[in-house]
Amino acid sequence: MKGRVWILGGTGQVGAHVARLLEADGAGIVTVSRRGSAGYEHVAADLSAQDTHLPFEAGDRVINLTEATGAAIMRSAIRLGAVLIETSATPEYMLSFRDLARREGGPGMLLDCVGVAPGLTNLMAHELRRLHPDLRRLHIGAELGLGAHAGPAAMRWFYESLGTRLSVRRDGRMTEIATGRLVRRFPFADGKPDRIALNFPFVEQRILAEEFGPSVETVQVFLGISPPWVTHLLRCALRLGFGGLGARFARPLARATLAGPTLGEATTRIVVCGSDSRGHRIVPLRLETGEPSIATAAVIAAAAGRARPSPGRSISSIADCLTLDDAVRAIRNLLPETRLTSADREAVTTAGGACDRSGST
């Protein structure tokens, strides 16, 4: 892979993994953050400042790993012909850059929903719809293990999200739902009972609703945490009204969590399932792998290797850049235990099965 790759927020956990992968593939790496250096060419800059300018060039890839990055830098990347690779899961933040890319109109391009959730979840949803063109209701469950700490930004985002409401397509209508209000069970692990996950404000449910159109009447994403008792504890806390407090004190809660011990395994499990127009449950597509930050970095690096500006196209998503097999192969290179399973990845439906029980708290 030739060319230059800018990694905004590149001195963090995911950024370090991405830099190593892309450098090994022949890319020139430039990291950008307020302080510190990961051993590559480095620019010390406040990414949120409106007067920060970076010397992007046509064909550069710019990977944004921080939601502190302001619109001025993003606008500069699009204007100068770079590919801006957006990894955010937050709807308001990411959709604002879609609006910016539409207004700028190129010659650069925004490539968004890159990572695990969003990213791998999008690819699995597209694969499920390819196998089942009659898909009407889509449910995505992501279970993340606490066996390894997430980065500070990701942990802060988790707590901030607890006090938000999200707009999702449900039964053909866009509906606002509070985080954690809906509960659904997913078959996250072989030979074990289905485990609960709570609706969470991941941006891919908005993007997938747009991409699939009105024929897919429901698109919802749920988050579970392993060990499963943590998900049950979170559900109880949200029922008691602690979501707003979590959002209000997100920074200290994130610091306290990161200072505490890890729990259980460092795992990533994703299940994508749904039903067709006759109400038949579709056999789930399931992926299981290891540490979320490594899996995320693998998908980001694979997308960066394929990303190219497309004349006349200002916005692209991960499904335009990678196939599910591409992403799984990239993850398996780092995490050999990675498994993608389904009913032979053929169009098989059943009158009952997993992902068919839901409720509200």
Side-chain angles (χ1 to χ4, degrees):
M1 173 183 169
K2 297 181 180 180
R4 185 168 57 171
V5 179
W6 299 77
I7 306 180
L8 311 184
T11 54
Q13 188 177 31
V14 173
H17 289 311
V18 172
R20 283 194 293 270
L21 290 171
L22 293 179
E23 183 186 42
D25 201 26
I29 304 298
V30 183
T31 58
V32 185
S33 63
R34 285 188 183 182
R35 59 184 69 87
S37 172
Y40 305 96
E41 181 180 347
H42 182 74
V43 176
D46 181 357
L47 290 166
S48 64
Q50 291 300 307
D51 59 351
T52 296
H53 296 283
L54 299 172
F56 302 132
E57 296 178 358
D60 284 354
R61 274 137 299 175
V62 181
I63 301 172
N64 184 36
L65 298 178
T66 169
E67 293 190 358
T69 304
I73 290 177
M74 303 303 215
R75 185 179 297 111
S76 176
I78 298 294
R79 286 179 175 174
L80 294 172
V83 177
L84 175 59
I85 300 172
E86 180 54 59
T87 66
S88 172
T90 303
E92 294 79 8
Y93 183 81
M94 203 200 77
L95 293 174
S96 71
F97 289 123
R98 283 203 156 202
D99 291 340
L100 182 152
R102 289 190 187 98
R103 291 194 302 269
E104 292 300 319
M109 184 180 73
L110 171 67
L111 173 63
D112 59 24
C113 288
V114 179
V116 166
L120 193 58
T121 48
N122 300 60
L123 296 175
M124 292 175 69
H126 276 273
E127 177 69 1
L128 194 73
R129 195 186 188 211
R130 185 187 70 81
L131 296 172
H132 303 273
D134 198 24
L135 177 69
R136 289 295 178 271
R137 290 179 173 81
L138 172 66
H139 298 108
I140 300 171
E143 184 186 69
L144 305 181
L146 297 181
H149 284 312
M155 188 61 65
R156 188 170 63 249
W157 171 81
F158 168 78
Y159 284 113
E160 289 172 347
S161 298
L162 297 180
T164 63
R165 298 180 66 84
L166 57 152
S167 179
V168 298
R169 180 180 291 167
R170 189 181 184 200
D171 298 327
R173 296 181 299 174
M174 296 303 294
T175 306
E176 276 208 352
I177 306 174
T179 296
R181 176 67 177 172
L182 300 180
V183 179
R184 185 167 288 272
R185 293 182 179 273
F186 292 88
F188 285 122
D190 279 332
K192 295 183 180 180
D194 294 357
R195 303 204 282 243
I196 69 167
L198 313 179
N199 67 293
F200 219 76
F202 290 104
V203 70
E204 61 263 46
Q205 49 205 334
R206 291 280 298 275
I207 301 303
L208 290 169
E210 292 179 12
E211 291 176 342
F212 291 165
S215 64
V216 180
E217 299 168 355
T218 296
V219 181
Q220 292 179 310
V221 183
F222 296 78
L223 175 66
I225 302 171
S226 181
W229 62 262
V230 179
T231 309
H232 287 276
L233 182 64
L234 177 61
R235 180 186 182 188
C236 291
L238 292 173
R239 291 180 69 178
L240 293 173
F242 283 98
L245 286 174
R248 181 179 177 185
F249 296 103
R251 288 181 180 274
L253 285 170
R255 287 195 296 268
T257 302
L258 294 174
T262 57
L263 298 171
E265 301 174 315
T267 55
T268 307
R269 298 185 177 99
I270 299 173
V271 175
V272 179
C273 54
S275 60
D276 62 21
S277 60
R278 296 172 294 173
H280 290 171
R281 269 65 184 181
I282 294 171
V283 173
L285 186 62
R286 180 172 63 195
L287 183 135
E288 183 172 357
T289 187
E291 186 177 335
S293 65
I294 297 176
T296 298
V299 177
I300 293 171
R306 297 284 187 89
R308 299 290 186 276
S310 179
R313 186 170 193 173
S314 59
I315 299 172
S316 188
S317 193
I318 191 169
D320 302 313
C321 177
L322 294 178
T323 67
L324 177 58
D325 288 334
D326 291 332
V328 172
R329 191 178 303 114
I331 297 171
R332 192 174 284 134
N333 285 338
L334 301 180
L335 299 167
E337 68 272 24
T338 301
R339 293 188 304 145
L340 177 66
T341 59
S342 68
D344 298 328
R345 290 175 75 175
E346 295 178 357
V348 180
T349 60
T350 177
C355 294
D356 60 348
R357 298 183 297 280
S358 64
S360 59
T361 59

